Amino acid sequence: MYSLDTIELIDFELSSHCNSKCPQCPRYDMFGNTHKDLNLTHLSLDAIKRIPIKKMKGLKRISFRGNFGDPLMHPKLNEIADVFDEQQIQISTNASLRDNAWWHELGKKKNIKVVFCIDGLEDTHHLYRRKTSYQKIINNATSFINAGGRAKWQFIVFKHNEHQLHEAEQISKKLGFESIKFMYSDRFDTDSKFKVYDNNIYLYDLEKSSNQQLLRENLKSDEGEKYWKKLNENKSKITCLWSQRKEMYIHSDGTVYPCCMIANTQAGRNIEKLLFNKIVKDPNKINLYKNEFEQIIKSDVFQKLIPDSLEEKPFSHPICIEWCNKSTGKGVNTHLNTVNM
């Protein structure tokens, strides 16, 4: 059970705004339009200050990343980072924001590490991280590293960039990255290959790596309740990776979740969202703007979202099965390898 004493990491989605337009990002529909029910907002500094950080003796790490947005979109990112001056902070970003001077100053902060999401090289990176600039990202990373900043390179492997892994590794060494991690995307789980319609680009027009196999491809299941039941028929024991690691996630709208994967259900019309609402019923009860943080993590509503408690019921949430299923969970098998420098 979560408590103030046991939590070691809080993962914040500081903003649901983003400068990029990545294919199959949950913030967009297949036509590239932002989902109408996505709450475009920044998590307020006041809400973050309401978390009793001084009482959380085990809180060692803070993460700023996002399901729907980029943390660098938050106008008060610097002030929020200062709140956690006693914790190690990791910022995950497409890094195609801010100027070199800002990145140079960030590199001086000893408790901050940045994960630069660079999915390819100059001729391929923009195919997935659309509306971002590879050269700007490299310049920002250089400014950060030269100022003493600790940097990691995260590289999502697709069919169009899988031939560039070795070259990316060599570039990362040259620039001074601590490591480079190659990983798969979990989003390309459809056989649809929509590309162009009335001169508009659909967001389902990239291909997963030729070496990647996906759970939905294996199940060949229908949507909705049939898909849910099929998943449960094939599941093995579910072990909640986030609760084991004593981690939790706070969405940009203030909702507190056991993990970022469950939080990923809150945009679009999909079976995962419908089932989340079926389990939780009233999301306001786990919202930081409406309740005290300690009250939320002890609440029955929050506890219902932890897979260990769901095992006692006939069905588990699809997200829990896909990520924390002992035999096939993606939470264990999403990355290829990490090269440390």
Side-chain angles (χ1 to χ4, degrees), residues 184-189 212 214 216 264 323 330 334:
Y184 291 132
S185 169
D186 67 300
R187 294 174 180 168
F188 292 79
D189 53 9
Q212 186 178 3
L214 297 162
R216 284 188 173 112
N264 202 26
W323 283 93
K330 292 190 294 189
T334 53

Side-chain angles (χ1 to χ4, degrees), residues 82-260:
D82 289 341
V83 172
F84 302 102
D85 58 346
E86 296 182 4
Q87 285 78 31
Q88 292 297 310
I89 299 172
Q90 180 166 289
I91 301 173
S92 182
T93 173
N94 66 57
S96 189
L97 290 162
R98 314 279 177 134
D99 58 23
N100 288 347
W102 184 87
W103 281 100
H104 183 82
E105 289 303 311
L106 186 70
K108 297 178 181 179
K109 296 181 180 293
K110 301 305 180 185
N111 68 323
I112 290 181
K113 179 184 289 187
V114 175
V115 176
F116 290 80
C117 301
I118 315 173
D119 306 313
L121 303 181
E122 189 163 14
D123 60 332
T124 58
H125 168 78
H126 64 282
L127 297 177
Y128 178 67
R129 298 279 173 180
R130 295 177 186 175
K131 302 183 76 173
T132 69
S133 167
Y134 173 83
Q135 194 55 58
K136 180 176 176 62
I137 297 165
I138 294 299
N139 290 341
N140 288 340
T142 301
S143 295
F144 177 75
I145 293 170
N146 287 347
R150 301 172 60 198
K152 297 172 64 177
W153 180 331
Q154 177 182 289
F155 186 121
I156 299 178
V157 181
F158 298 102
K159 198 167 186 177
H160 64 263
N161 64 16
E162 60 187 7
H163 62 289
Q164 296 179 321
L165 306 190
H166 177 71
E167 187 176 356
E169 180 185 343
Q170 297 305 309
I171 292 173
S172 66
K173 288 180 179 178
K174 181 179 179 181
L175 294 176
F177 282 87
E178 289 186 349
S179 63
I180 182 169
K181 180 170 78 171
F182 302 106
M183 61 186 296
Y184 291 132
S185 169
D186 67 300
R187 294 174 180 168
F188 292 79
D189 53 9
T190 174
D191 292 327
S192 301
K193 294 293 184 293
F194 301 111
K195 291 194 176 182
V196 179
Y197 178 77
D198 287 346
N199 296 319
N200 291 319
I201 300 297
Y202 282 66
L203 291 187
Y204 285 82
D205 58 351
L206 294 182
E207 295 184 68
K208 67 182 185 336
S209 168
S210 55
N211 296 319
Q212 186 178 3
Q213 194 171 32
L214 297 162
L215 180 60
R216 284 188 173 112
E217 289 178 345
N218 293 333
L219 293 175
K220 299 293 183 184
S221 58
D222 297 326
E223 293 298 322
E225 296 281 340
K226 290 182 180 179
Y227 167 60
W228 187 26
K229 291 179 180 179
K230 189 74 173 179
L231 281 174
N232 277 275
E233 288 174 4
N234 289 271
K235 75 177 180 182
S236 61
K237 180 178 173 57
I238 294 176
T239 302
C240 181
L241 299 178
W242 281 56
S243 63
Q244 277 192 342
R245 297 192 300 245
K246 302 175 183 178
E247 302 174 3
M248 65 185 340
Y249 179 91
I250 300 180
H251 193 275
S252 56
D253 66 2
T255 309
V256 182
Y257 298 92
C259 73
C260 70

Side-chain angles (χ1 to χ4, degrees), residues 12 14 43-45 48 64 74 76-84 89:
F12 290 93
L14 296 182
L43 183 63
S44 76
L45 177 59
I48 293 172
F64 299 149
H74 200 296
K76 294 186 177 180
L77 174 60
N78 290 354
E79 294 94 319
I80 292 171
D82 289 341
V83 172
F84 302 102
I89 299 172

